[in-house]
Amino acid sequence: MSDRILLTLAVFAFFLFCVFLMWRGWRRKSRAQSVQVPPFAEIPAEPGEVSLESTGLYVSTTTAGHWQDRVVTRGAGLRTGAVWRLHEDGIAIERGGAPDFWIPRASVTGVRKDKGMAGKVMGIDALLVITWLAGDVELDTGFRGDDVDDYPQWIEALQDIPNDIKGGA
């Protein structure tokens, strides 16, 4: 009987040790990224009229083109319920239990539908991904909307950005 208790305690201690190592790695990655990725902009006090709104799940922000390289600094790695609102000058991302942030419209470089991001795979075209610049760092931010039928409206609205704003000719 005591052998079982010792084995149970050993397994539990090993589990706690693994959780500790994961927490430590998350903190280390957060510190490194806080130097590389600039702080996300705050939502302006008066963002203007809402032209499009969707509710759903904020999946994650990753470095652009690297769907598993989650940005964890400043709460960006927390998966939460969210409301996305499109305004004339940008996108307000309001997240429950995590910091809200603003994606300036001029920094959006692309928008697409995708199937997964940062460990969350959902199915073909189930995720809306916005590619944007935070300073000099290009990021992908993923959103799983409650109504995926909204995605074409988001794509059309965000692809409407003039080329001179995007940095084109």
Side-chain angles (χ1 to χ4, degrees):
M1 186 92 149
S2 66
D3 288 345
R4 256 193 185 165
I5 291 173
L6 288 175
L7 181 60
T8 301
L9 289 174
V11 168
F12 185 68
F14 178 73
F15 173 76
L16 288 178
F17 180 67
C18 289
V19 169
F20 169 75
L21 290 178
M22 288 181 350
W23 172 77
R24 193 169 165 199
W26 186 275
R27 284 196 42 190
R28 180 176 290 157
K29 185 173 185 174
S30 178
R31 275 183 293 209
Q33 285 179 343
S34 68
V35 174
Q36 300 165 348
V37 179
F40 296 167
E42 292 183 17
I43 298 173
E46 295 293 327
E49 189 176 321
V50 176
S51 60
L52 191 56
E53 180 176 313
S54 294
T55 60
L57 178 71
Y58 165 85
V59 176
S60 185
T61 295
T62 64
T63 54
H66 302 279
W67 73 285
Q68 289 287 24
D69 187 19
R70 181 190 309 249
V71 174
V72 298
T73 188
R74 300 178 196 93
L78 301 174
R79 188 172 291 144
T80 63
V83 177
W84 284 31
R85 291 185 178 96
L86 180 62
H87 300 271
E88 184 178 338
D89 294 332
I91 304 162
I93 300 176
E94 298 174 13
R95 304 184 303 153
D100 301 337
F101 64 97
W102 176 259
I103 299 176
R105 195 169 185 138
S107 67
V108 173
T109 60
V111 60
R112 68 181 186 282
K113 293 188 276 186
D114 214 329
K115 64 180 177 182
M117 172 178 269
K120 184 79 168 170
V121 178
M122 292 173 231
I124 298 172
D125 295 341
L127 189 68
L128 180 68
V129 178
I130 296 174
T131 304
W132 59 288
L133 289 169
D136 294 334
V137 180
E138 193 169 36
L139 303 171
D140 285 335
T141 295
F143 178 71
R144 169 64 164 114
D146 291 336
D147 186 2
V148 296
D149 293 334
D150 289 347
Y151 293 178
Q153 295 170 337
W154 280 93
I155 291 170
E156 182 180 334
L158 291 171
Q159 285 179 340
D160 243 1
I161 302 169
N163 281 340
D164 58 331
I165 292 176
K166 286 185 181 180

